[in-house]
Amino acid sequence: MDLNTTEGVRLEIKFVAYAYEVDRVVQWLRLHHAAFDKPFPDRRVHNVYFDSYDYDAYGENLSGISKRVKVRYRWYGEERYPDVGVLEVKCKRNKYGWKHRFPVTVSPLQSGKRWRDIRNSITGVLPAMGKINLNTYPQPVILNQYNRQYFVSRDKSVRVTIDTGMKVYDQRYKPTPNVTRRANISDLMVIEFKAEPSAQDEVNRVVQTLPIRVNRHSKYTTGVEAIYSY
């Protein structure tokens, strides 16, 4: 395994609330004693989530299994069909997560290109570990998109992302990518706190003062529920 493509273990705590609360949350971050600031501009995030034909990844998230894996193809920007992206294998153990990231230097997603050819294009540039994970979770299930804001505390110990403007597109049983027929989904805001495991006490102190009512959240689970209901 190439360690350059592996992110270290980090504490991850994710919540969901309604998007109309976003200004309140941003103001709270800016006034917080940890002095959160924006390290770089907002970005548009796109993900294609893959699963097994038995929806094992979805079932693990729904059941709250402590040890679980998600496989997704991610890119940034406004383009529906990116020049390059990254295959991410996101591993989760209770509150802790890490990623294996495999850059994809070809352009697999193209208008009219069939999903089986897209998978083959991605697989063709992956190392062995990436190939194994994509072959284990070969079915494209959803494509989601959202706007992401980034914040970091002054001492760099706690990072926060806020995602809004969520859109979800059903990819099941589609021969080519569906980027036009959107599923219905609530106007939500997803807030995630991230830190090194050693900063858990500081994260807990920050989370305890969050000024809105929130619930736990998985974008993939929420997206699958949306495509089943539309």
Side-chain angles (χ1 to χ4, degrees):
M1 179 178 64
D2 181 0
L3 295 179
N4 290 327
T5 65
T6 305
E7 291 187 358
V9 175
R10 64 187 183 185
L11 177 67
E12 300 177 338
I13 304 177
K14 188 181 297 184
F15 300 105
V16 64
Y18 287 109
Y20 67 77
E21 299 271 25
V22 66
D23 290 339
R24 186 179 178 188
V25 173
V26 170
Q27 183 181 27
W28 166 73
L29 286 170
R30 293 202 178 278
L31 297 176
H32 198 276
H33 69 82
F36 286 93
D37 198 6
K38 284 193 166 189
F40 42 83
D42 304 350
R43 291 196 289 187
R44 186 74 173 160
V45 184
H46 309 253
N47 303 284
V48 176
Y49 282 90
F50 293 88
D51 208 333
S52 70
Y53 293 112
D54 292 327
Y55 295 92
D56 290 330
Y58 172 70
E60 290 169 0
N61 275 272
L62 202 62
S63 301
I65 293 173
S66 61
K67 181 180 178 182
R68 53 192 187 268
V69 172
K70 292 177 187 171
V71 175
R72 65 192 179 201
Y73 180 74
R74 168 169 286 189
W75 70 98
Y76 299 94
E78 299 301 323
E79 297 299 326
R80 286 182 171 178
Y81 302 106
D83 289 334
V84 295
V86 178
L87 185 80
E88 294 187 342
V89 180
K90 185 170 184 180
C91 305
K92 189 84 171 177
R93 302 294 183 271
N94 298 311
K95 294 184 295 184
Y96 299 96
W98 64 96
K99 295 177 190 174
H100 303 292
R101 305 178 76 252
F102 307 100
V104 177
T105 55
V106 297
S107 302
L109 280 168
Q110 297 175 13
S111 178
K113 192 171 183 178
R114 299 180 69 84
W115 270 118
R116 68 165 180 258
D117 297 323
I118 292 169
R119 281 198 309 269
N120 288 339
S121 295
I122 296 173
T123 303
V125 299
L126 295 177
M129 182 182 178
K131 286 183 169 71
I132 289 170
N133 279 280
L134 189 54
N135 288 334
T136 302
Y137 300 93
Q139 178 183 207
V141 179
I142 64 167
L143 187 159
N144 71 0
Q145 305 167 343
Y146 46 88
N147 298 315
R148 169 162 287 185
Q149 299 184 62
Y150 300 83
F151 299 86
V152 64
S153 60
R154 180 164 45 201
D155 65 2
K156 313 300 183 187
S157 65
V158 181
R159 289 161 287 154
V160 182
T161 57
I162 299 178
D163 300 335
T164 54
M166 183 81 65
K167 296 179 181 179
V168 176
Y169 301 86
D170 187 0
Q171 306 303 318
R172 300 167 304 158
Y173 321 120
K174 305 292 192 295
T176 59
N178 166 34
V179 295
T180 56
R181 190 180 179 192
R182 193 168 68 189
N184 291 323
I185 190 168
S186 299
D187 190 13
L188 301 175
M189 164 179 58
V190 178
I191 312 161
E192 186 168 13
F193 299 85
K194 308 168 188 179
E196 299 299 320
S198 59
Q200 181 167 350
D201 289 344
E202 178 60 22
V203 172
N204 289 338
R205 283 192 289 269
V206 172
V207 168
Q208 286 170 5
T209 62
L210 190 61
I212 60 174
R213 185 174 180 176
V214 293
N215 294 300
R216 296 285 184 169
H217 182 75
S218 162
K219 291 190 187 73
Y220 177 55
T221 301
T222 301
V224 172
E225 291 170 353
I227 64 176
Y228 272 117
S229 63
Y230 85 109

